[in-house]
Amino acid sequence: MKTYVVGGAVRDRLLGRPVQDRDHVVVGATPQQLVARGFTPVGKDFPVFLHPHTHEEYALARTERSTGPGYKGFTFHTAPDVTLEDDLIRRDLTINAIAEDEDGTLIDPFGGQRDLAAKLFRHVSSAFAEDPVRILRVARFAARFADFAVAPETLALMRQMVAAGEVDHLVPERVWQELARGLMEAKPSRMFAVLRDCGALAHILPELDALWGVPQPEIHHPEIDTGAHVMLVVDLAAAAGHPLPVRFAALLHDLGKGVTPKEGWPSHHGHEALGVPLVQAICQRLRVPNDCRDLALMTAREHGNIGRGLQLRAATLVNVFERCDAIRRPERFFDMLKAAECDFRGRSGEQRTFANEPYPQAAHWQAALAAARSIDAGAIAHANRENPPRIPLAIHEARVAAVRAIAGVSEEGAPSA
Ligand code: CTP
């Protein structure tokens, strides 16, 4: 029996990146032999064991065969005569198919080190096509290793898989898991570029895919293309280190621009409200967690108001707070402000970038929210105890008065939201 470290741990060590978990492959053993040595079996889908002391994962070398479309259609085969090479050849990318034995010797039958040096994502063998999740994995790796490119033959294979309908059968949880992980990488735009290149984006997120080719007014958006804008925004959210809900909200904030009437282009009047049902549809389809869904819905609906904040009247500001439940949940509102600031800054052309321009909206909204939250709702309720139905209105009015008192809130003639 021989054991090897494989996959991401070897790849990341060779790249000089921190190693998260170490996966091991065991060759020449049976499950019974591993159990006899104190390993604990944990595999649900295939035989994986935990080491008795390190608790790292050890999988028996295996071959796999797809039995149907999608992620679930798999059978596997393990036996003491399955070789290391048999195991490595069914892996996704050459850079993930390098093994390291107990002496530190690398076993690299498919050129993983060559592709690491060339910064290429290349599939190991035609077995790549048996698991469509790998399309998403390649895209996600592109967001992490942003200077890597997809090898032409791998891109061609990915396109064939998409054309054959392979990504249409993916289970929603897996799609979300990969998208979420990719959004948390350094350059999420690379993930979407790869998904667009192979045609998968139109299947997975058609609402987002529709934004490429949709123009915006050059004066506000020197990048013009809406897809280009959204990619700038999501990369800024990543560069700022924002959490997943903010990045997801940044990604979906402008979906409405894909469904505004063409006659009106490049303006997109009312795109905020138009985006809301699209965000809802995506979140339902991919079973997006509630925190991500709620922030994305709110940001799609309100980002125009956030940008116009300095021109809004006190009553309008308070209406926004009340719609967003910001009095009770200020942190979530601040998260929306982060997404909105990325929206503001994520515009650029040769003549102009917004990277370092002032964004006074954030401080303005924060001051207004602090004022709206400062009123004593209990005292107002007490004062109106003879007339309970009036209490909500009295509280609302007190909030408006408090917000009106802060510096810079506009008064008459401002548009309402
Ligand atoms: N693997 C694969 N196809 C998949 C999933 C995994 O071939 N659909 C193989 C790859 O060899 C991969 C290894 O299993 O390196 C471990 O998978 P996983 O832990 O999901 O990914 P890592 O490559 O370790 O990447 P990460 O750093 O994102 O965990």
Side-chain angles (χ1 to χ4, degrees):
M1 151 173 166
K2 275 202 69 130
T3 67
Y4 304 85
V5 178
V6 284
V10 181
R11 176 199 68 217
D12 289 345
R13 188 179 67 69
L14 291 171
L15 285 171
R17 292 172 65 101
V19 170
Q20 309 294 349
D21 341 281
R22 299 197 320 156
D23 293 319
H24 304 256
V25 164
V26 184
V27 177
T30 61
Q32 294 74 20
Q33 286 169 320
L34 285 176
V35 170
R37 291 186 184 208
F39 283 81
T40 316
V42 288
K44 200 164 30 120
D45 301 325
F46 35 77
V48 178
F49 300 82
L50 297 186
H51 190 277
H53 306 304
T54 65
H55 304 293
E56 291 180 342
E57 286 192 1
Y58 286 69
L60 287 174
R62 66 181 188 268
T63 58
E64 275 174 356
R65 195 131 23 89
S66 150
T67 54
Y71 181 61
K72 287 185 173 151
F74 271 109
T75 57
F76 65 88
H77 165 73
T78 65
D81 65 347
V82 175
T83 65
L84 178 64
E85 199 158 318
D86 292 336
D87 184 279
L88 295 177
I89 200 171
R90 53 100 197 150
R91 289 175 181 266
D92 55 358
L93 298 173
T94 60
I95 63 167
N96 291 339
I98 310 171
E100 186 176 343
D101 73 10
E102 285 149 356
D103 307 326
T105 306
L106 295 176
I107 298 104
D108 181 14
F110 304 106
Q113 292 169 93
R114 172 203 62 207
D115 288 334
L116 275 180
K119 299 186 187 301
L120 278 177
F121 302 122
R122 189 196 305 280
H123 64 289
V124 177
S125 72
S126 57
F128 181 95
E130 294 179 358
D131 179 4
V133 168
R134 290 172 170 173
I135 293 172
L136 297 169
R137 281 173 59 88
V138 173
R140 165 165 73 79
F141 284 127
R144 184 189 305 174
F145 306 122
D147 54 348
F148 277 55
V150 182
E153 63 271 30
T154 303
L155 188 59
L157 178 58
M158 288 162 59
R159 286 189 178 138
Q160 275 173 29
M161 291 166 69
V162 171
E166 283 283 351
V167 294
D168 306 322
H169 300 288
L170 287 169
V171 292
E173 288 81 2
R174 286 294 276 142
V175 176
W176 168 250
Q177 187 187 11
E178 293 296 329
L179 288 177
R181 290 183 72 184
L183 280 171
M184 289 313 290
E185 299 290 357
K187 206 140 196 245
S189 64
R190 290 280 298 128
M191 170 165 67
F192 299 104
V194 169
L195 291 175
R196 251 165 59 75
D197 262 4
C198 68
L201 195 63
H203 292 253
I204 295 166
L205 291 173
E207 302 87 346
L208 180 69
D209 192 60
L211 300 184
W212 277 268
V214 174
Q216 307 164 103
E218 189 170 1
I219 178 153
H220 302 303
H221 284 279
E223 75 285 353
I224 300 176
D225 188 82
T226 308
H229 164 59
V230 169
M231 292 298 101
L232 291 168
V233 176
V234 80
D235 279 350
L236 281 174
H242 290 324
L244 179 61
V246 177
R247 298 185 193 202
F248 185 63
L251 180 71
L252 301 190
H253 78 281
D254 260 351
L255 290 187
K257 289 182 180 172
V259 293
T260 48
K262 265 194 178 147
E263 310 83 72
W265 289 2
S267 99
H268 296 281
H269 189 68
H271 74 276
E272 295 91 341
L274 287 170
V276 170
L278 302 179
V279 175
Q280 228 146 14
I282 288 174
C283 293
Q284 219 158 41
R285 202 167 68 226
L286 297 184
R287 317 221 171 111
V288 171
N290 294 351
D291 59 341
C292 287
R293 178 199 62 201
D294 293 346
L295 192 69
L297 283 171
M298 200 195 289
T299 305
R301 193 182 68 222
E302 306 290 353
H303 68 275
N305 289 327
I306 299 301
R308 282 190 293 275
L310 294 166
Q311 286 103 55
L312 301 180
R313 289 172 295 171
T316 310
L317 296 170
V318 172
N319 287 340
V320 171
F321 294 144
E322 289 174 351
R323 273 206 299 275
C324 297
D325 200 15
I327 306 291
R328 287 196 313 143
R329 307 205 40 192
E331 292 306 324
R332 188 174 66 181
F333 193 84
F334 297 150
D335 274 348
M336 177 166 68
L337 294 182
K338 290 177 192 149
E341 180 163 353
C342 294
D343 176 23
F344 172 83
R345 300 202 180 286
R347 302 180 285 165
S348 101
E350 280 173 16
Q351 309 296 324
R352 189 170 177 199
T353 113
F354 294 77
N356 298 312
E357 297 208 2
Y359 184 71
Q361 287 92 327
H364 186 70
W365 281 101
Q366 279 163 8
L369 182 55
R373 296 185 75 228
S374 70
I375 61 135
D376 187 345
I380 295 167
H382 186 73
N384 288 275
R385 63 189 176 285
E386 304 300 330
N387 186 7
R390 215 197 101 70
I391 294 172
L393 185 61
I395 291 175
H396 173 83
E397 284 168 354
R399 287 177 184 147
V400 173
V403 170
R404 195 176 287 128
I406 69 162
V409 171
S410 59
E411 268 315 312
E412 292 310 310
S416 62

